[in-house]
Amino acid sequence: MKTWTDEAELIARCKRELPYNHASFEILIGRYKDLVFTLCYRLVGRRSDAEDLMQEVLTKIFLNLKNFEERSKFSSWVYRIAHNHCLNFINRKARQREVIGEYTEEKKRRQNDGLTKDVAESLQAALDQISPDQRGILIMKYVMGLDLKEIGESLELSVGAVKMRLMRARDDFRAVYQKAQ
């Protein structure tokens, strides 16, 4: 098999062959796999997260290689994709921690504001029985007071998708809560 020393030629070959032939892509990405992993690991600090993120980044590179315009070095393009993907992951994790913290504070405040302990426990039990995604969207809307656009930006969804998910979450929550009563 030919050893590829000219990266530009290898990239051009990948663009021609993908998605049907992966051999050239495997050679190309083999050169950057360690760089991507190291960057992900250094940014997120957990090996398991870094491994998952590396796979997601490699998938993004695979799917978007045809869009690489060669205005910069390929390594810079790979680095930018990995860096942005990791930052998005970190921001999502931070928002999740924020939501959980604010939800806990709100839960305590509401318990102290007159919600009986039984009602608060019933509400929490119902929340615990719906999916984490549904729980999160309900918390963002009703605990944090975010509007649909803000929720969409946080979850990287359109406003229409947020409306649909919010409606389904309310319906599922209501069904679980009523069943428990």
Side-chain angles (χ1 to χ4, degrees):
M1 179 171 210
K2 180 178 180 178
T3 57
W4 294 91
T5 53
D6 184 13
E7 191 168 85
E9 186 181 332
L10 183 58
I11 292 168
R13 183 174 175 142
C14 288
K15 285 181 175 184
R16 285 191 310 269
E17 294 176 350
L18 288 178
Y20 305 107
N21 186 346
H22 303 159
S24 299
F25 181 76
E26 289 173 13
I27 294 168
L28 179 65
I29 215 59
R31 297 176 180 180
Y32 295 97
K33 193 175 184 179
D34 291 339
L35 169 93
V36 171
F37 175 78
T38 301
L39 175 64
C40 293
Y41 182 71
R42 294 292 177 215
L43 286 172
V44 300
R46 289 187 62 209
R47 183 174 189 81
S48 61
D49 287 340
E51 289 169 350
D52 291 343
L53 289 167
M54 178 188 67
Q55 289 301 318
E56 293 167 7
V57 168
L58 296 179
T59 300
K60 278 187 172 187
I61 292 169
F62 177 83
L63 294 173
N64 293 296
L65 185 62
K66 63 187 172 297
N67 299 326
F68 175 58
E69 297 175 355
E70 301 175 37
R71 287 185 281 164
S72 62
K73 291 173 51 179
F74 184 73
S75 59
S76 298
W77 185 71
V78 169
Y79 179 84
R80 187 171 54 251
I81 291 171
H83 185 259
N84 289 341
H85 191 70
C86 290
L87 289 181
N88 289 340
F89 173 81
I90 291 167
N91 289 335
R92 273 193 313 271
K93 286 289 192 185
R95 283 192 302 265
Q96 288 171 349
R97 281 192 298 274
E98 240 176 69
V99 167
I100 290 168
E102 290 178 13
Y103 172 72
T104 303
E105 289 174 23
E106 179 67 16
K107 180 180 167 192
K108 288 178 186 175
R109 186 186 67 74
R110 285 187 181 201
Q111 284 179 339
N112 294 334
D113 284 350
L115 273 183
T116 67
K117 190 172 184 175
D118 292 338
V119 171
E121 288 174 358
S122 300
L123 291 171
Q124 183 60 49
L127 273 175
D128 290 343
Q129 290 181 30
I130 62 176
S131 75
D133 290 337
Q134 289 180 326
R135 190 177 326 133
I137 205 163
L138 289 174
I139 290 168
M140 283 188 234
K141 177 69 176 160
Y142 297 109
V143 175
M144 296 175 62
L146 299 180
D147 64 29
L148 298 176
K149 183 178 178 190
E150 292 170 319
I151 295 170
E153 289 170 358
S154 297
L155 300 176
E156 299 175 343
L157 297 170
S158 69
V159 172
V162 172
K163 285 180 184 178
M164 181 59 67
R165 290 182 185 198
L166 187 59
M167 182 185 75
R168 289 179 183 153
R170 278 192 300 246
D171 290 346
D172 288 353
F173 175 79
R174 187 178 301 115
V176 169
Y177 185 76
Q178 288 174 345
K179 184 178 177 184
Q181 297 307 310

